[in-house]
Structures are given as C-alpha cells and as structure tokens.
Amino acid sequence: MKSPAEIAKKYESVGESKANAPIGKTFLLAILAGAFIALGGLGSQIGSLCSPDPSSARVISSVIFPIGLFMVLVGGAELFTGNCLITIPVLSGKAKVSGMLKNWVVVYFGNMVGGFIIAALAAFSHIYSFNGDALATSVINTAITKSTISFSDALLRGILCNVLVCMAVWCSFAADELAGKVLALWLPVMLFIVCGFEHCIANMYFIPAGMLASFVHGIPAEGLSLFNFFVTNLIPVTIGNIIGGGICVGAMYYAIYLKNK
C-alpha cells in the first residue's frame, strides 16, 4: 500500500497529465464518465425499490452506485468531481491554473452529455416502467427533491459529497492491485450515498431522468424545470463539490505532504 505522501506525489503527476491532455480526448473520456456514473445511478434507483423502508432503500442504493466510479477509475475516464484534485499539481507549480480550468470545463460538459444520454436511453426504452411504473414514480420524486433543495443545503451537501468522492479516488491510488482499488473506492462512495449528499455529475442524470420519466409516463412532476435543475441544484452543488474536493482534500493534502518539499 502506498503511503499518503506517496499518493500525493503520484497524483501530482497524474493531475499534471490531466491538465495538459488534448481537449478532444478529454471530452470523449468525460462523456464515458458521465455515462458510467449515470448507469450507477440508474442501477441504484432500481435497487432502492427492494425495500419500502427509506433507510434500507438508501443502504441498498449505496452498494450499487459505486459501480459507476469503479468503471470511471478502472476505465480511465474523466470525472469532474475527481478532477477537482488537480488543485494539487497547480499548487505545487506542476500545472497551470488555465490547464486546470480547461480540464474542468471540458470534463464538466462532457459528463453532462454522458448523463443526458443515459437518462434519455432509459426513459425512451421504458426502463422506468419497471414494477408498474413504480420506478418512474421514484425517479421523478428523486428529481423533485433535488430540484427543490435550498441553495445553502445544496452547497453544504456538495462540499461533504466531494470530500468523500475525492477520498475514494485518493484511497484507490493507495492500492496497486485491482481488488484493493475496488474496495478502497467503494466504501467512501457508499458513505456519501447513505448520508444523502449531493454530487453534481450524478445530478446531471437524476434530474433529467425525472423530467423525461414524467414526459414519457405522463406522471405530473411539480417543481421540475430547467431553471430549478441548473440554478437551484447544479450551480450550488458544483460550487460545493469544488470546495470539497479541490480545497478540503486537494489543497489540504498539498499543504501537508508537498508544500514544504
């Protein structure tokens, strides 16, 4: 197992490569990551129907959702929330701020495309008709809940979420074997789902999925709108994710393990 100091040094190099990667390649890898996270979200929604008890349903969802991040990390895709750790090579002078921002923008919109694609494919292939439209109702209710959250709640839950997601990425770097990486990333992601935190890339699937499920299945969805999607949820959650991953994890570990050197 790599020590935290060794992980910091390794990500310094990895983050530098991400900041300097070609835009076209980065965008395609970002589409894949958005799709992988969305597939994990879809699976977790189906799994949550196993129990009528909300707490049990959330635990079941938490076991399934990390499959998305597993595919991202093992498949080498580009995920915005994980890439918030690029603050590490920026602070150490290995990468430029412009390179980090370029990566974030390209990956963010690529992730959005991937999430939209899976939401559309799931809706128009009538996957949400599962269990007599119970899945469609659940998908819509999830989207409504996320779209009507307060700005402060979304921001703070976004910070907490990406602390755990970036710790999942960080911990996966500690292992050299696949089995170790899987276990390392799984546990922090399970925790963020159980706690009900907010992940901007996952929400790029969850909220459009609710909109499309409402359209396809004719189920009313009070509070679902593009305004609420972008302004009420996505903006504060994204800001929170950047703070949680880029500052609370990335900058903190830079200060501890790299700054003096």
Side-chain angles (χ1 to χ4, degrees), residues 1 31 50 59 76 80-81 85 102-103 114 146 168-169 171-172 182 188 191 198 203 222 225 234-235 242 256:
M1 186 186 82
I31 293 174
C50 293
V59 171
F80 171 78
T81 44
L85 288 172
K102 178 194 70 175
N103 178 276
K146 290 180 175 295
V169 174
C171 292
S172 73
V182 172
L191 184 57
E198 293 289 323
N203 290 350
E222 292 289 336
S225 67
L234 214 53
I235 290 176
I242 292 172
I256 294 169

Short mmCIF file of all heavy atoms in Angstrom, two decimals, residues 1 31 50 59 76 80-81 85 102-103 114 146 168-169 171-172 182 188 191 198 203 222 225 234-235 242 256:
data_model
loop_
_atom_site.label_atom_id
_atom_site.label_comp_id
_atom_site.label_asym_id
_atom_site.label_seq_id
_atom_site.Cartn_x
_atom_site.Cartn_y
_atom_site.Cartn_z
N MET A 1 0.84 -1.19 0.00
CA MET A 1 0.00 0.00 0.00
C MET A 1 0.88 1.25 0.00
O MET A 1 1.86 1.32 0.73
CB MET A 1 -0.91 0.01 1.22
CG MET A 1 -1.91 1.15 1.23
SD MET A 1 -2.88 1.27 2.75
CE MET A 1 -1.71 2.17 3.79
N ILE A 31 -17.45 12.08 -21.53
CA ILE A 31 -18.76 11.53 -21.88
C ILE A 31 -18.91 10.13 -21.28
O ILE A 31 -19.95 9.78 -20.71
CB ILE A 31 -18.94 11.48 -23.41
CG1 ILE A 31 -19.03 12.90 -23.98
CG2 ILE A 31 -20.21 10.69 -23.79
CD1 ILE A 31 -19.07 12.95 -25.50
N CYS A 50 -36.21 -2.36 -3.69
CA CYS A 50 -36.24 -3.63 -2.97
C CYS A 50 -36.85 -3.49 -1.58
O CYS A 50 -37.29 -4.48 -1.00
CB CYS A 50 -34.83 -4.20 -2.83
SG CYS A 50 -34.08 -4.72 -4.38
N VAL A 59 -29.47 2.29 1.84
CA VAL A 59 -28.32 1.41 2.01
C VAL A 59 -28.14 0.52 0.79
O VAL A 59 -27.01 0.33 0.30
CB VAL A 59 -28.48 0.55 3.29
CG1 VAL A 59 -27.40 -0.53 3.35
CG2 VAL A 59 -28.42 1.42 4.53
N GLY A 76 -10.40 4.49 -16.96
CA GLY A 76 -9.60 5.66 -17.32
C GLY A 76 -10.39 6.84 -17.84
O GLY A 76 -9.87 7.65 -18.60
N PHE A 80 -15.43 15.05 -13.50
CA PHE A 80 -15.21 16.40 -12.99
C PHE A 80 -14.93 16.41 -11.50
O PHE A 80 -13.98 17.06 -11.03
CB PHE A 80 -16.43 17.28 -13.29
CG PHE A 80 -16.39 18.62 -12.61
CD1 PHE A 80 -15.61 19.65 -13.10
CD2 PHE A 80 -17.13 18.84 -11.44
CE1 PHE A 80 -15.56 20.88 -12.46
CE2 PHE A 80 -17.09 20.06 -10.80
CZ PHE A 80 -16.31 21.08 -11.31
N THR A 81 -15.74 15.72 -10.71
CA THR A 81 -15.59 15.77 -9.27
C THR A 81 -14.25 15.21 -8.81
O THR A 81 -13.61 15.74 -7.90
CB THR A 81 -16.75 15.04 -8.58
OG1 THR A 81 -17.00 13.80 -9.25
CG2 THR A 81 -18.02 15.88 -8.62
N LEU A 85 -9.20 17.42 -7.77
CA LEU A 85 -7.89 17.20 -7.14
C LEU A 85 -6.74 17.79 -7.95
O LEU A 85 -5.59 17.80 -7.48
CB LEU A 85 -7.66 15.71 -6.92
CG LEU A 85 -8.49 15.03 -5.82
CD1 LEU A 85 -8.28 13.53 -5.86
CD2 LEU A 85 -8.13 15.59 -4.45
N LYS A 102 -9.38 24.59 -17.97
CA LYS A 102 -9.72 23.97 -19.25
C LYS A 102 -10.24 22.56 -19.04
O LYS A 102 -11.27 22.16 -19.60
CB LYS A 102 -8.50 23.95 -20.17
CG LYS A 102 -8.74 23.29 -21.52
CD LYS A 102 -7.43 22.99 -22.23
CE LYS A 102 -6.65 21.87 -21.56
NZ LYS A 102 -5.42 21.48 -22.31
N ASN A 103 -9.53 21.81 -18.22
CA ASN A 103 -9.94 20.44 -17.94
C ASN A 103 -11.31 20.42 -17.28
O ASN A 103 -12.19 19.63 -17.67
CB ASN A 103 -8.91 19.76 -17.05
CG ASN A 103 -9.31 18.35 -16.66
OD1 ASN A 103 -10.05 18.13 -15.71
ND2 ASN A 103 -8.81 17.37 -17.42
N GLY A 114 -22.85 12.73 -21.20
CA GLY A 114 -22.98 11.32 -20.86
C GLY A 114 -24.18 11.04 -19.99
O GLY A 114 -24.90 10.05 -20.19
N LYS A 146 -34.36 16.86 -5.39
CA LYS A 146 -33.10 17.52 -5.68
C LYS A 146 -33.32 18.92 -6.27
O LYS A 146 -32.51 19.82 -6.07
CB LYS A 146 -32.26 16.66 -6.63
CG LYS A 146 -31.72 15.39 -5.98
CD LYS A 146 -30.90 14.56 -6.95
CE LYS A 146 -30.26 13.37 -6.27
NZ LYS A 146 -29.25 13.78 -5.26
N ALA A 168 -12.33 8.76 -2.10
CA ALA A 168 -12.43 7.46 -2.79
C ALA A 168 -11.36 7.35 -3.86
O ALA A 168 -10.68 6.32 -4.00
CB ALA A 168 -13.82 7.31 -3.40
N VAL A 169 -11.18 8.44 -4.64
CA VAL A 169 -10.14 8.47 -5.66
C VAL A 169 -8.76 8.37 -5.00
O VAL A 169 -7.90 7.59 -5.43
CB VAL A 169 -10.23 9.76 -6.50
CG1 VAL A 169 -9.06 9.87 -7.47
CG2 VAL A 169 -11.56 9.80 -7.27
N CYS A 171 -7.90 7.16 -2.04
CA CYS A 171 -7.66 5.84 -1.45
C CYS A 171 -7.39 4.78 -2.51
O CYS A 171 -6.60 3.85 -2.29
CB CYS A 171 -8.85 5.42 -0.59
SG CYS A 171 -9.07 6.42 0.91
N SER A 172 -8.04 4.91 -3.68
CA SER A 172 -7.81 3.93 -4.74
C SER A 172 -6.37 3.99 -5.24
O SER A 172 -5.82 2.99 -5.70
CB SER A 172 -8.78 4.17 -5.91
OG SER A 172 -8.42 5.32 -6.66
N VAL A 182 -10.76 -1.45 -5.87
CA VAL A 182 -12.22 -1.54 -5.80
C VAL A 182 -12.70 -1.33 -4.38
O VAL A 182 -13.62 -0.54 -4.11
CB VAL A 182 -12.70 -2.90 -6.33
CG1 VAL A 182 -14.20 -3.08 -6.08
CG2 VAL A 182 -12.40 -3.02 -7.82
N PRO A 188 -15.97 4.92 0.63
CA PRO A 188 -16.34 6.33 0.76
C PRO A 188 -17.56 6.71 -0.08
O PRO A 188 -18.38 7.54 0.33
CB PRO A 188 -15.09 7.07 0.26
CG PRO A 188 -13.97 6.10 0.45
CD PRO A 188 -14.57 4.76 0.17
N LEU A 191 -20.68 5.69 1.61
CA LEU A 191 -20.97 6.60 2.72
C LEU A 191 -21.68 7.85 2.21
O LEU A 191 -22.63 8.33 2.85
CB LEU A 191 -19.67 6.96 3.44
CG LEU A 191 -19.81 7.83 4.69
CD1 LEU A 191 -20.73 7.19 5.71
CD2 LEU A 191 -18.43 8.08 5.29
N GLU A 198 -24.79 15.57 -2.12
CA GLU A 198 -25.13 15.99 -3.48
C GLU A 198 -23.90 15.98 -4.39
O GLU A 198 -22.91 16.64 -4.11
CB GLU A 198 -25.76 17.38 -3.48
CG GLU A 198 -27.13 17.45 -2.82
CD GLU A 198 -28.21 16.78 -3.63
OE1 GLU A 198 -28.18 16.87 -4.88
OE2 GLU A 198 -29.11 16.16 -3.02
N ASN A 203 -26.26 14.24 -10.47
CA ASN A 203 -27.49 15.01 -10.67
C ASN A 203 -27.74 15.36 -12.13
O ASN A 203 -28.87 15.67 -12.51
CB ASN A 203 -27.46 16.27 -9.81
CG ASN A 203 -27.58 15.95 -8.34
OD1 ASN A 203 -27.86 14.82 -7.96
ND2 ASN A 203 -27.37 16.95 -7.50
N GLU A 222 -44.34 18.30 -10.13
CA GLU A 222 -44.33 19.68 -9.64
C GLU A 222 -42.92 20.06 -9.18
O GLU A 222 -42.28 19.33 -8.43
CB GLU A 222 -45.29 19.82 -8.46
CG GLU A 222 -46.76 19.68 -8.83
CD GLU A 222 -47.28 20.88 -9.61
OE1 GLU A 222 -46.69 21.97 -9.47
OE2 GLU A 222 -48.26 20.71 -10.37
N SER A 225 -38.04 21.76 -13.44
CA SER A 225 -37.87 22.71 -14.54
C SER A 225 -36.39 22.87 -14.80
O SER A 225 -35.54 22.52 -13.96
CB SER A 225 -38.47 24.07 -14.18
OG SER A 225 -37.75 24.68 -13.12
N LEU A 234 -27.77 22.56 -9.64
CA LEU A 234 -26.46 22.32 -10.24
C LEU A 234 -25.42 23.36 -9.85
O LEU A 234 -24.27 23.02 -9.56
CB LEU A 234 -26.60 22.24 -11.77
CG LEU A 234 -25.64 21.27 -12.49
CD1 LEU A 234 -25.73 19.88 -11.87
CD2 LEU A 234 -25.98 21.22 -13.97
N ILE A 235 -25.80 24.64 -9.83
CA ILE A 235 -24.82 25.69 -9.50
C ILE A 235 -24.30 25.55 -8.07
O ILE A 235 -23.08 25.48 -7.86
CB ILE A 235 -25.41 27.08 -9.77
CG1 ILE A 235 -25.57 27.31 -11.27
CG2 ILE A 235 -24.53 28.17 -9.14
CD1 ILE A 235 -26.23 28.63 -11.64
N ILE A 242 -16.51 21.63 -5.78
CA ILE A 242 -15.18 22.20 -6.00
C ILE A 242 -14.50 22.50 -4.66
O ILE A 242 -13.32 22.20 -4.45
CB ILE A 242 -15.26 23.47 -6.86
CG1 ILE A 242 -15.68 23.11 -8.30
CG2 ILE A 242 -13.92 24.21 -6.87
CD1 ILE A 242 -15.97 24.31 -9.18
N ILE A 256 -0.02 19.48 3.50
CA ILE A 256 0.53 18.54 4.46
C ILE A 256 1.76 17.81 3.89
O ILE A 256 2.81 17.69 4.57
CB ILE A 256 -0.52 17.50 4.88
CG1 ILE A 256 -1.65 18.19 5.64
CG2 ILE A 256 0.10 16.39 5.73
CD1 ILE A 256 -2.87 17.32 5.87
#
